[in-house]
Amino acid sequence: MATTIDDVARAAGVSTSTVSYVLSGKRPISAPTRQRVERAIRDLGYRPHAGARALASARTHVLGLMAPLRVDVNVNVIMQFVTGVVTAARSYDHDVLLLTADETAGLERVASGSMVDALVMMDVEADDPRVPVLVGLRQPAVLIGLPRDPEGLSCVDLDFEAAGRLAVRHLARLGHRRVALVGSPRAVLERHTSYAERMMRGFTAEAAEAGLAAVVEPCESSMAGAVGAVDRVLERLPDVTGVVVHNEVALPWVVATFADRGRHVPEDVSVVAVCPPDVAVGQPLPLTGVDIPAHAIGRVAVEMAMARVGHDEPAETRLLAPVLVERASTRPALR
Amino acid sequence: MATTIDDVARAAGVSTSTVSYVLSGKRPISAPTRQRVERAIRDLGYRPHAGARALASARTHVLGLMAPLRVDVNVNVIMQFVTGVVTAARSYDHDVLLLTADETAGLERVASGSMVDALVMMDVEADDPRVPVLVGLRQPAVLIGLPRDPEGLSCVDLDFEAAGRLAVRHLARLGHRRVALVGSPRAVLERHTSYAERMMRGFTAEAAEAGLAAVVEPCESSMAGAVGAVDRVLERLPDVTGVVVHNEVALPWVVATFADRGRHVPEDVSVVAVCPPDVAVGQPLPLTGVDIPAHAIGRVAVEMAMARVGHDEPAETRLLAPVLVERASTRPALR
DNA sequence: TTGAAAGCGCTAACAC
DNA sequence: GTGTTAGCGCTTTCAA
């Protein structure tokens, strides 16, 4: 180890710049020279020193990822975002530096310290305090989620409003007239995590336009939370026949509680789950659902970030169109 | 931005080395000088360039973490390891570079490229192909888990063998004479992920020594898997009264299935869960359990890694002693 | 098609 | 207690 580019140059009988150019491909190299250099690199097991490279080229080949590592929410979805980001980053020859969401200072640290070429930030809230920080940085940033004011920042997310509408439309088509949304925990709503609000807005608007009776209930991510939410729904809308669930953790308990209260899915109640496909399929009864394509969102975030390093393309916001997949949990309403 | 150490030096009317030494504390600085420098740093919003620093000092202040980002296993536990590692790393003024387990080449890339000061690798298997790679690196590495041959590498883990024994001993003390282990998925066992084997060994040995009838059943991480495992247990040991479950995902379904088969927990069957405390407590019935202190293990891994960067201390293996916490799922056996 | 050499921003001797 | 300066290993003009 500790081989440097000069060692390689010497071994290959060329100058250091030639080695550099063989590596970067930024200028044409004759076949024989290239081969001698490549051979020397292999023989010596040479790897360029990342720090030296970053210093000289102002590119770190590292992507900063700020992820919420709390254990409370839907760990699964987070994991899928992360794998999406890491996989995509690798395909751009970048590694991923992991920052936790509780550390706003981390953004400045890694950005001002030139540790990263770009940043991706998950789990953005409407008035996220980290957003103004991001705006001031030299590196491009991509948000997963939608802040109230994305001034100059790129954003990606599922179009949750359309997702809410899509779910309701599906139920309406099946003839359901009384629908409920069992949603995110109250704390999430109060944090104004925008996806929860957008979901709710879409659900409510579409139900209104379709002339459906509709109720919305927040739901804690636990068995107890699910039981409570279901009971509140049944109290407010006793003859509910269509339910949209937007809470991965509560999902199985919601279905179980309805059954426990004598409303079986899908005979008595149709359920549309808004969650990653594997969660919907992994349930005892495969659930009709609007997919949250976490992996894809992560990948798109990276693509958008990479498109902006070096080039100064303008920021853009991309909302992915939701897709509903029919499985076993929805049926035409009984008349 | 783009302020350099020279800008700071100029602004403070000192030499660059003085600024450097103020920053590193590696030599005494008079109070007035220090203040002028600190003021200049603040005024200019100066941050040292990470690459330059790494180049000059051979320290990156980055820790490599290789985590298994598959969604199949106990995502929760993984998350806890990761937060433990990240938090601890920050307390040593290090950031974390995330590598996925499927990319053995990543180890060489970040190590030989001098991107990290040390490496932590989760989810080690008995004959892990990544272990020999790790041995050849310049940087110290710490494994979470126990390979068959840890030649020169540091390892941390829960002492799963002791955990198995502890769980059995607890059941035996309560008078249970027929016990079962509902364990890891067959695939995990076949991968020889050492923790599963160690757990099994401890369980089996202690049961034998205590003269208990004991069966072991692997269990897939799903509802169906849990049902299957429970039924196989009941077939092989119909009057089982004590069950150790070592599978976070299957846990709730195992308990539910026993109830479904007319064996209620804890009236008819006592259950000891081997899992992180929050999982045990989050169940409908709080489960007696042997904690998997994931967060703590992550922290210890970082401490061991940091202890070895720079200094060339010898590798060590640390097995954390298991702790059993009695909750509501175990009772004296009926006679 | 290739080489020489000037930095990139910082650390750590080595002076004083 | 502070300053000078030679690198650290690489990229990238500028020349040939």
Side-chain angles (χ1 to χ4, degrees):
Chain A
M1 301 298 119
T3 8
T4 73
I5 198 171
D6 290 301
D7 298 330
V8 175
R10 209 168 305 121
V14 300
S15 70
T16 62
S17 60
T18 297
V19 177
S20 177
Y21 284 118
V22 165
L23 248 20
S24 69
K26 288 190 182 176
R27 84 178 180 192
I29 303 283
S30 73
T33 309
R34 145 163 294 117
Q35 275 159 19
R36 290 216 315 288
V37 171
E38 282 169 348
R39 183 144 207 318
I41 289 178
R42 232 175 310 111
D43 289 352
L44 298 174
Y46 166 72
R47 302 262 190 186
H49 185 289
R53 179 175 274 202
L55 181 57
S57 70
R59 292 248 120 29
T60 63
H61 287 260
V62 173
L63 173 76
L65 170 64
M66 182 165 256
L69 294 188
R70 4 184 173 72
V71 185
D72 61 332
V73 226
N74 36 45
V75 193
N76 247 290
V77 185
I78 294 174
M79 211 62 141
Q80 292 190 33
F81 277 124
V82 174
T83 58
V85 168
V86 174
T87 312
R90 284 304 307 143
S91 78
Y92 283 90
D93 195 25
H94 276 240
D95 273 291
V96 171
L97 196 76
L98 184 66
L99 301 171
T100 55
D102 53 328
E103 213 208 347
T104 303
L107 291 176
E108 301 227 54
R109 175 162 36 81
V110 303
S112 311
S114 296
M115 301 183 75
V116 299
D117 290 338
L119 283 157
V120 169
M121 195 171 91
M122 298 175 46
D123 204 41
V124 175
E125 301 174 16
D127 295 293
D128 204 300
R130 300 168 299 175
V131 168
V133 175
L134 241 26
V135 174
L137 302 180
R138 186 160 70 263
Q139 294 90 339
V142 176
L143 311 183
I144 296 183
L146 238 45
R148 199 178 307 282
D149 177 11
E151 35 173 344
L153 296 171
S154 288
C155 309
V156 220
D157 207 351
L158 176 65
D159 188 338
F160 276 97
E161 183 159 350
R165 287 182 172 278
L166 184 58
V168 171
R169 207 172 308 135
H170 176 68
L171 291 171
R173 284 223 184 88
L174 289 172
H176 297 276
R177 310 294 305 161
R178 288 169 304 282
V179 298
L181 170 62
V182 174
S184 302
R186 192 171 294 277
V188 172
L189 277 167
E190 279 167 3
R191 239 169 43 213
H192 294 289
T193 307
S194 67
Y195 69 84
E197 295 186 321
R198 288 181 279 139
M199 177 74 205
M200 211 170 80
R201 202 180 319 137
F203 173 89
T204 310
E206 186 74 25
E209 290 167 24
L212 310 186
V215 301
V216 174
E217 278 293 343
C219 176
E220 300 310 307
S221 298
S222 66
M223 185 193 62
V227 172
V230 168
D231 283 341
R232 287 197 305 278
V233 165
L234 287 173
E235 194 181 313
R236 295 175 57 192
L237 202 61
D239 290 329
V240 63
T241 66
V243 178
V244 179
V245 183
H246 183 199
N247 186 322
E248 292 81 15
V249 179
L251 198 45
W253 307 114
V254 167
V255 174
T257 305
F258 269 112
D260 194 61
R261 301 293 186 260
R263 320 292 181 96
H264 290 274
V265 178
E267 295 84 351
D268 311 306
V269 171
S270 282
V271 167
V272 178
V274 181
C275 64
D278 54 297
V279 174
V281 173
Q283 303 294 320
L285 178 80
L287 267 25
T288 294
V290 177
D291 289 350
I292 299 183
H295 196 90
I297 294 176
R299 157 164 291 282
V300 171
V302 173
E303 284 165 1
M304 292 171 70
M306 288 304 158
R308 285 172 16 108
V309 350
H311 340 301
D312 55 340
E313 321 237 322
E316 50 169 339
T317 288
R318 279 168 59 176
L319 292 183
L320 276 49
V323 175
L324 185 140
V325 178
E326 244 182 296
R327 302 198 185 87
S329 65
T330 47
R331 284 210 189 154
L334 302 172
R335 342 221 107 228
Chain B
M1 298 303 116
T3 12
T4 73
I5 199 172
D6 290 302
D7 298 331
V8 175
R10 210 168 305 122
V14 300
S15 70
T16 62
S17 61
T18 297
V19 177
S20 178
Y21 285 118
V22 165
L23 249 20
S24 69
K26 289 191 181 175
R27 83 179 180 191
I29 304 282
S30 73
T33 309
R34 145 164 294 118
Q35 276 160 18
R36 290 216 314 289
V37 171
E38 283 169 348
R39 183 143 207 316
I41 289 177
R42 231 175 310 110
D43 290 352
L44 297 173
Y46 166 72
R47 301 264 190 186
H49 186 289
R53 177 175 274 199
L55 182 55
S57 69
R59 292 249 116 39
T60 64
H61 288 261
V62 173
L63 174 76
L65 171 63
M66 181 165 257
L69 292 187
R70 4 185 171 72
V71 186
D72 62 332
V73 225
N74 34 45
V75 193
N76 247 290
V77 185
I78 294 174
M79 211 62 141
Q80 292 190 33
F81 276 123
V82 173
T83 58
V85 167
V86 173
T87 311
R90 284 304 306 143
S91 78
Y92 283 90
D93 195 24
H94 276 240
D95 273 292
V96 171
L97 195 77
L98 184 65
L99 301 171
T100 56
D102 53 330
E103 214 208 346
T104 303
L107 291 176
E108 301 227 55
R109 176 163 35 83
V110 303
S112 311
S114 297
M115 302 182 74
V116 299
D117 290 337
L119 284 157
V120 169
M121 195 172 91
M122 297 175 47
D123 204 41
V124 175
E125 301 174 16
D127 295 292
D128 204 300
R130 301 168 298 175
V131 168
V133 175
L134 241 28
V135 174
L137 303 179
R138 188 161 67 265
Q139 293 90 339
V142 176
L143 311 183
I144 295 181
L146 238 44
R148 198 180 307 284
D149 177 12
E151 34 174 345
L153 296 170
S154 288
C155 310
V156 220
D157 207 351
L158 176 65
D159 187 339
F160 276 97
E161 183 160 350
R165 288 181 172 277
L166 185 58
V168 171
R169 207 172 309 134
H170 175 67
L171 291 171
R173 283 223 184 91
L174 289 172
H176 297 276
R177 310 294 305 162
R178 288 169 305 281
V179 298
L181 170 63
V182 174
S184 302
R186 193 171 293 279
V188 171
L189 277 167
E190 279 166 3
R191 238 168 46 213
H192 294 289
T193 307
S194 68
Y195 68 86
E197 296 187 320
R198 288 180 281 139
M199 178 73 206
M200 213 170 79
R201 201 180 320 138
F203 173 89
T204 309
E206 185 76 24
E209 290 167 24
L212 309 186
V215 301
V216 175
E217 278 293 343
C219 176
E220 301 310 305
S221 298
S222 66
M223 186 193 63
V227 172
V230 168
D231 283 342
R232 288 196 305 278
V233 165
L234 287 174
E235 194 182 313
R236 295 175 58 193
L237 202 60
D239 291 328
V240 64
T241 65
V243 178
V244 179
V245 183
H246 182 198
N247 186 322
E248 291 82 13
V249 179
L251 198 45
W253 307 114
V254 168
V255 174
T257 305
F258 270 112
D260 194 61
R261 301 295 185 258
R263 320 291 179 98
H264 290 273
V265 178
E267 295 84 352
D268 310 308
V269 172
S270 283
V271 166
V272 178
V274 182
C275 65
D278 53 298
V279 174
V281 173
Q283 304 293 321
L285 177 79
L287 268 26
T288 294
V290 176
D291 290 350
I292 298 184
H295 196 92
I297 294 177
R299 158 164 291 281
V300 171
V302 172
E303 284 165 1
M304 291 170 70
M306 289 304 158
R308 287 179 5 116
V309 349
H311 341 300
D312 55 339
E313 323 236 321
E316 49 168 340
T317 287
R318 279 169 59 177
L319 292 183
L320 276 49
V323 174
L324 185 140
V325 178
E326 244 182 297
R327 302 197 185 88
S329 64
T330 47
R331 284 209 190 154
L334 302 172
R335 347 221 103 228

